[in-house]
Amino acid sequence: MTGFDLRRSLRWGSIAGAVMVFTCAVGLFEAFEDRLLVYPFLSLGHVLLLWFLPLAGYQATNEPVLEGMEAPSKGLHNVVAGLVAGLAGGIVMGVFTVVVDALDVRDVFVRLSVRLVDLLTHGWGVPGGLVLIVAVPALLGMAGGMLHLVSASARRRLILALEWALVVALLEQVFSQVLRQIRLGAVGDIIFTRRALEWWAALAVAALVALLSERARGGVGRIRGYLFAADAARRTRNSIWSALAVLAFLIVLPQLLGSLLSELLANVGLFLLMGLGLNIVVGLAGMLDLGYVAFFAVGAYTVGVLTSPISPRFDLEWSWWAALPVAILMSVVAGVLVGTPVIRMRGDYLAIVTLGFGEIVRILFLSDWLAPTFGGAQGVRNVPGIPVGVAEIRGSQPVGVLYFAFGLVLVAAWVSWALQESRLGRAWTAIREDETVAAAMGINVVRAKLNAFIVGAILAGLGGALFAAKVGSIFPSSFELLVSIIVLVVVIVGGMGNIPGVAVGAVLLIGVLGGPTQPGLLAEFAEFKLLIYGALLVFMMLRKPEGLLPSVRRSRELRGEELSQDAWLDRPSGDVEVDARLAGG
Amino acid sequence: MASSRPVLEFRNVHTHYGPVHILKDVSLSIYEGQIVCLLGGNASGKTTTLKTVLGMVVPTAGEVLIEGEVVNGWRTAQIVARGVSMVPENRRLFKRMTVRENLEIGAYLRKDDTSADYERILDMFPRLKERLGQRAGTLSGGEQQMVAVGRALMARPRVLLMDEPSMGLAPVLVAQNFDIIRQINEAGTTVFVVEQNANMALSIADYGYVLQTGKIVLADTAPNLLANPEMRQAYLGEVG
């Protein structure tokens, strides 16, 4: 088990090489080569190119510590394996560079340019620069291997410190903005130079994180203990307190963030609203609805047509509040219209048919036939904001939109939670688990599924109504299939069937990466957003299908107790025997 | 044991899947307090019979009666509300729901207080007490069977339908299972068991029907069926 395993090192090395080649080929390296993270030497492009190497070097000899077995010994072999893995990756990269330099493949792979070779070889040209291309990965691989030699806690601190330094550098915009808002803008000016973190500041951040990490771990443990207290009454009380704390945080937050960041968070709120709705349809009732955007479009168009002074057909100029009930009603109608024919289908068929319906709705809004009402490709413009007292909430004042979106999200979250805990919620979960048996229990499957569809449609319609007032003009192109898919990814990444999970998914994907047309914190990744979405989705499906934040119950169940019972043989006479069997191996 | 009117009755029932004739002129009567078993091999129409009781398959001819009332064309929920509940083949629990939630779903249609039944079921299966918060899919086969039976009993049925309770269980558990069926029956619930394991089923049943390619070929009291030479040869694995 211990010792140096050449094949394994080579395998990890070649994976690292493939990652590097891929990064170059899709243009990630070239695009971010000049975006400095740590001034003056580390660019985002280099991080993206090389991040996998230490990991590969580490994985080349990473053995799990097995209960009852001797712990694998640490030593030179770890370093050698890391070095070999890095070297292998470097050689893959070297061959790649030579090929790109020798052959002109730009017709097919547009990103594999002369400039790329220049950047990779640091301007040293092909024979000379190859030393660099092989040596740097080898050293990084070795560094990864060396991680085995330090203690587990030191390793954890080191990795955490590096991660945080990178996160601070990457989110320079947020940090300097928040510093400005709390009148510490001068600090921001000192630690950030040309959008990058000064090297000494990066070291300081890393050192700080390393120092504080153990304490923070204890804190996280305490918070978890606090939230998931075993005693049900205390758990309820504690979660009320933490909900209040989150609420207070949400009220203060927009004051700390400038309008730009508030805009981002308002988008998060919008997608969270839709995510909560889709969560009911997909997460609770288990119906894979790929045409969810249809209801979003119906809500937005209804509000647009009823409130806009230049609405193509109507001349109503209603206030947003008057249009809202109509928008919700229309969403319900749309939910029933789409739901009724598809409700008897299951699984893949339902997904395909809803996908079709989603596109049909968009094409209808785009069509000449409905253009007299909905404006066709011209859309509906001059949609007014939401009047609240004397003020008006509209897209040009993102802080107001943010507060309003938060309000709607809170209502939606409360509704989802109440439904989830209700008799209907239990019927949905039962249907998701086994439709036939659910019917045999006396659940009216068709009606319950239709209800899920309608609740989902209402929340999406609400999102659409908010969207219309926020952006002020509505075009069919805002309602592409991509919106449905991204809302679905938000739900999946966060954790299906779980409200805080959807919130985490929305913040992470919409806030950080950005929505289908909305920019996120990492606006520079806009071009690669879908690539990252896809990669994330694949990763989640393979590694964490239960989502980033599985529900409390689920995470409690997944602890050891369950593992030892999972799929065991039938146990006719109690647990003693099983314990003996487990201990005996 | 037989009272005047059957709790559940089939009168000359025919069913079709598309054009295919499944049940052919099936008549049976299940009286209050009995255990009645329906025996038959694969594809003899056993499961279709249960689905017909529950209204999931609608008879193309004939009548299904519950306590003397014709229920042809009723929705499943209505029939369940009338006091029929089922333990499906292979248990089919809601695997990602907890044991408690599985039991609660069983009482989905009930509006009255279910806590007494809940306690009764936990007394019947004390093993489940420590498993209440656990996902049903992680239980052992025997425990899953307990949950499946408990789930059906939560509806406080007048007639309990059991689809192949012995399937996929170790012999010890099968015996235990039939013991449970007898207990449930002694507590006053009428039981209709559909089984391939004829020996086991007849050992606890009052009356038995034998179904062959959709037709009832034998119908008699359990002791008579056990003694019937034809039966012994065809279903009880006796040679010559």
Side-chain angles (χ1 to χ4, degrees):
Chain A
M1 184 171 281
T2 54
F4 172 56
D5 180 350
L6 180 66
R7 288 183 56 172
R8 188 169 165 181
S9 298
L10 290 180
R11 190 170 70 230
W12 278 102
S14 45
I15 295 175
V19 169
M20 286 190 281
V21 169
F22 180 77
T23 311
C24 291
V26 297
L28 268 170
F29 173 62
E30 205 180 331
F32 297 120
E33 185 275 333
D34 53 356
R35 162 75 164 89
L36 280 183
L37 281 183
V38 177
Y39 187 82
F41 49 84
L42 187 63
S43 81
L44 179 55
H46 284 97
V47 171
L48 291 171
L49 184 69
L50 301 170
W51 67 275
F52 196 77
L53 284 158
L55 186 65
Y58 181 76
Q59 287 294 346
T61 47
N62 189 22
E63 301 288 351
V65 179
L66 297 174
E67 217 172 287
M69 303 291 229
E70 209 175 310
S73 71
K74 307 287 182 197
L76 195 59
H77 72 273
N78 297 108
V79 184
V80 174
L83 179 69
V84 172
L87 204 61
I91 289 169
V92 170
M93 201 54 201
V95 172
F96 168 73
T97 313
V98 171
V99 170
V100 172
D101 188 53
L103 304 171
D104 186 10
V105 288
R106 291 192 60 185
D107 289 341
V108 187
F109 301 102
V110 280
R111 301 288 193 169
L112 303 184
S113 61
V114 182
R115 177 158 177 267
L116 177 69
V117 176
D118 254 14
L119 290 174
L120 284 174
T121 57
H122 217 73
W124 294 358
V126 157
L130 286 181
V131 178
L132 208 61
I133 289 178
V134 177
V136 171
L139 288 175
L140 285 170
M142 191 169 81
M146 281 157 84
L147 282 177
H148 283 288
L149 304 182
V150 298
S151 74
S153 88
R155 183 160 63 231
R156 201 165 48 229
R157 282 187 202 203
L158 187 66
I159 293 169
L160 207 62
L162 279 175
E163 283 171 358
W164 269 94
L166 285 179
V167 165
V168 172
L170 199 59
L171 299 183
E172 166 269 343
Q173 210 188 349
V174 184
F175 283 97
S176 48
Q177 176 67 36
V178 171
L179 285 172
R180 260 201 300 284
Q181 293 281 337
I182 55 173
R183 312 206 181 286
L184 288 173
V187 177
D189 293 341
I190 295 170
I191 63 170
F192 293 114
T193 304
R194 292 203 283 156
R195 300 203 55 207
L197 194 61
E198 286 278 4
W199 64 270
W200 53 265
L203 281 182
V205 169
L208 197 67
V209 170
L211 275 177
L212 294 179
S213 67
E214 286 307 304
R215 190 163 299 188
R217 264 170 72 82
V220 169
R222 264 203 302 281
I223 290 174
R224 187 170 292 161
Y226 180 75
L227 280 179
F228 303 158
D231 172 19
R234 259 181 57 200
R235 192 163 66 230
T236 314
R237 205 192 53 215
N238 291 352
S239 42
I240 290 174
W241 278 115
S242 42
L244 285 178
V246 170
L247 197 66
F249 176 70
L250 290 182
I251 289 173
V252 178
L253 191 64
Q255 304 301 329
L256 288 181
L257 308 169
S259 61
L260 194 68
L261 294 177
S262 296
E263 162 79 22
L264 291 187
L265 267 188
N267 289 331
V268 171
L270 182 66
F271 276 85
L272 180 49
L273 203 56
M274 289 198 281
L276 286 172
L278 191 63
N279 181 47
I280 288 174
V281 183
V282 182
L284 293 186
M287 294 184 285
L288 185 55
D289 179 0
L290 292 181
Y292 195 58
V293 68
F295 309 123
F296 179 54
V298 167
Y301 265 102
T302 310
V303 165
V305 162
L306 293 178
T307 61
S308 168
I310 55 165
S311 166
R313 181 188 291 269
F314 304 108
D315 193 18
L316 295 167
E317 291 194 51
W318 285 6
S319 114
W320 187 85
W321 293 103
L324 183 66
V326 185
I328 289 174
L329 187 70
M330 294 313 289
S331 307
V332 172
V333 171
V336 173
L337 283 180
V338 177
T340 310
V342 306
I343 221 88
R344 283 168 198 280
M345 300 176 187
R346 297 184 190 186
D348 316 357
Y349 301 102
L350 186 107
I352 292 164
V353 174
T354 51
L355 185 122
F357 269 111
E359 278 297 277
I360 289 170
V361 168
R362 183 179 66 84
I363 290 167
L364 278 179
F365 281 127
L366 183 64
S367 68
D368 289 340
W369 178 52
L370 289 179
T373 311
F374 298 112
Q378 309 297 314
V380 182
R381 275 162 300 161
N382 286 16
V383 180
I386 304 164
V388 177
V390 284
E392 190 187 46
I393 289 173
R394 52 180 309 111
S396 50
Q397 285 119 31
V399 178
V401 179
L402 178 55
Y403 277 126
F404 197 76
F406 275 162
L408 289 184
V409 165
L410 284 181
V411 173
W414 181 76
V415 169
S416 325
W417 180 80
L419 281 172
Q420 197 176 321
E421 301 296 315
S422 72
R423 190 161 169 269
L424 183 59
R426 238 178 302 145
W428 284 335
T429 350
I431 290 169
R432 181 190 69 196
E433 296 294 299
D434 191 328
E435 203 171 318
T436 318
V437 178
M441 296 291 124
I443 294 169
N444 187 334
V445 173
V446 170
R447 194 192 300 162
K449 283 168 90 173
L450 195 58
N451 282 340
F453 235 81
I454 291 171
V455 175
I458 290 176
L459 290 184
L462 204 59
L466 176 66
F467 176 77
K470 176 173 173 288
V471 298
S473 43
I474 310 157
F475 307 105
S477 60
S478 309
F479 308 105
E480 302 268 355
L481 168 64
L482 190 59
V483 178
S484 298
I485 292 174
I486 284 185
V487 177
L488 186 65
V489 178
V490 163
V491 174
I492 290 174
V493 167
M496 267 195 265
N498 164 32
I499 297 168
V502 181
V504 168
V507 170
L508 204 70
L509 292 176
I510 309 300
V512 178
L513 279 175
T517 51
Q518 296 81 355
L521 269 184
L522 301 178
E524 53 246 89
F525 280 107
E527 210 182 328
F528 301 98
K529 196 154 57 189
L530 295 182
L531 181 73
I532 299 172
Y533 265 106
L536 196 62
L537 197 56
V538 171
F539 175 81
M540 293 301 295
M541 286 288 124
L542 288 175
R543 283 302 162 90
K544 276 182 89 70
E546 74 280 12
L548 286 178
L549 206 69
S551 66
V552 179
R553 191 207 316 152
R554 207 136 286 159
S555 61
R556 193 182 302 140
E557 281 158 5
L558 288 172
R559 283 174 208 160
E561 161 197 18
E562 191 168 276
L563 280 177
S564 59
Q565 300 187 345
D566 211 6
W568 263 91
L569 304 163
D570 287 346
R571 287 166 294 158
S573 56
D575 296 319
V576 188
E577 222 179 88
V578 173
D579 291 343
R581 225 181 288 160
L582 276 174
Chain B
M1 178 147 302
S3 60
S4 56
R5 194 169 65 184
V7 187
L8 180 65
E9 191 180 1
F10 272 39
R11 283 189 194 152
N12 311 98
V13 169
H14 293 259
T15 63
H16 290 79
Y17 279 137
V20 185
H21 204 171
I22 307 291
L23 294 187
K24 297 157 190 160
D25 200 30
V26 170
S27 294
L28 23 98
S29 306
I30 295 152
Y31 293 93
E32 177 106 45
Q34 279 188 326
I35 298 179
V36 173
C37 65
L38 180 67
L39 307 169
N42 289 323
S44 57
K46 299 190 305 289
T47 301
T48 308
T49 309
L50 290 187
K51 283 187 168 173
T52 312
V53 177
L54 279 172
M56 291 171 160
V57 173
V58 180
T60 36
E63 287 170 334
V64 179
L65 296 96
I66 295 175
E67 293 183 326
E69 194 174 355
V70 178
V71 297
N72 288 25
W74 284 25
R75 279 188 288 107
T76 306
Q78 288 172 298
I79 291 171
V80 175
R82 205 74 172 68
V84 179
S85 70
M86 179 166 77
V87 181
E89 188 179 343
N90 281 327
R91 306 173 283 280
R92 289 180 68 173
L93 298 182
F94 302 114
K95 291 195 168 138
R96 285 185 294 171
M97 296 166 82
T98 62
V99 170
R100 181 184 285 116
E101 286 168 328
N102 267 279
L103 292 178
E104 282 168 357
I105 280 281
Y108 185 77
L109 288 177
R110 284 181 59 183
K111 303 266 191 291
D112 55 335
D113 185 28
T114 57
S115 54
D117 294 84
Y118 187 69
E119 293 305 322
R120 191 168 61 92
I121 288 159
L122 290 186
D123 284 341
M124 194 186 295
F125 308 115
R127 282 282 287 280
L128 295 184
K129 276 184 192 158
E130 49 201 278
R131 301 268 184 263
L132 285 173
Q134 206 174 312
R135 279 196 288 176
T138 64
L139 302 180
S140 71
E143 288 165 339
Q144 289 197 15
Q145 181 69 32
M146 295 176 196
V147 179
V149 172
R151 182 176 64 180
L153 287 180
M154 281 296 282
R156 202 189 277 169
R158 298 182 53 83
V159 184
L160 182 68
L161 311 179
M162 299 201 76
D163 197 356
E164 307 234 11
S166 72
M167 185 180 258
L169 291 180
V172 194
L173 289 174
V174 173
Q176 207 176 331
N177 214 349
F178 279 93
D179 232 33
I180 290 166
I181 296 174
R182 188 155 37 192
Q183 271 178 46
I184 293 167
N185 178 250
E186 275 160 13
T189 310
T190 310
V191 183
F192 183 36
V193 191
V194 158
E195 239 325 327
Q196 295 210 33
N197 188 341
N199 254 328
M200 219 32 170
L202 287 173
S203 70
I204 61 160
D206 298 301
Y207 204 85
Y209 293 89
V210 178
L211 197 62
Q212 207 170 56
T213 58
K215 280 191 201 114
I216 300 278
V217 291
L218 277 171
D220 210 337
T221 60
N224 285 352
L225 276 182
L226 276 170
N228 186 327
E230 201 184 329
M231 180 73 196
R232 298 188 73 83
Q233 219 171 348
Y235 294 100
L236 300 176
E238 202 169 271
V239 187

